[in-house]
Amino acid sequence: CAVFDTSMLAAIEERTQLEADLRRALERDELHLYYQPIVELATGRLCGFEALLRWHHPLRGVVGPSHFVPAAEETGLIVSIGLWAIGEACRQMQAWAQEFPECAGLTINVNLSARQCMHADRAIFSFGRSVAFWLCCTVTAAAPSTRATSRGR
């Protein structure tokens, strides 16, 4: 028999609030990409960028993906987040290519879950064939669920 304690309730309430906040984050443009340069060590030459997802939560401040991606995976919001991230990264690369034509050979790396990859073509194809020359998608392993569960024995 499972025993309920108040910490279980607090964890459930926190998770429910996180999920509700995450849904609003998409609507309120609270998600942002940071671009980490990728540099060839031997030459110091800039090769491209890795797009890093961050959530600018109005109360919690900047939240890293390890704190919200598991909830996004479980609720299915990860698909919308992935489509947004690919689109945003592609828009940024197009803007940089126009502003800095001498850097046309740079790449942008976007990390996706397996679930996001099933829908990535919708975002990629909207940018045309030029995306294929600089977009690199990496499939990341799904993080184990942190949702508390209890089972009677």
Side-chain angles (χ1 to χ4, degrees), residues 18-32 54-58 77 80-81 84:
L18 177 70
E19 291 172 7
D21 288 351
L22 190 53
R23 287 183 197 285
R24 284 190 294 274
L26 287 165
E27 298 164 5
R28 296 178 180 173
D29 295 324
E30 295 174 359
L31 298 177
H32 300 274
R54 299 295 181 265
W55 176 11
H56 289 242
H57 190 281
L77 288 171
S80 297
I81 291 170
W84 173 84

Side-chain angles (χ1 to χ4, degrees), residues 13-61:
E13 288 173 342
E14 182 178 339
R15 181 59 174 239
T16 302
Q17 185 63 51
L18 177 70
E19 291 172 7
D21 288 351
L22 190 53
R23 287 183 197 285
R24 284 190 294 274
L26 287 165
E27 298 164 5
R28 296 178 180 173
D29 295 324
E30 295 174 359
L31 298 177
H32 300 274
L33 292 180
Y34 288 76
Y35 299 95
Q36 179 173 307
I38 299 172
V39 177
E40 188 176 280
L41 291 177
T43 65
R45 183 182 70 84
L46 179 65
C47 300
F49 300 92
E50 180 172 7
L52 305 173
L53 179 65
R54 299 295 181 265
W55 176 11
H56 289 242
H57 190 281
L59 299 175
R60 299 178 190 203

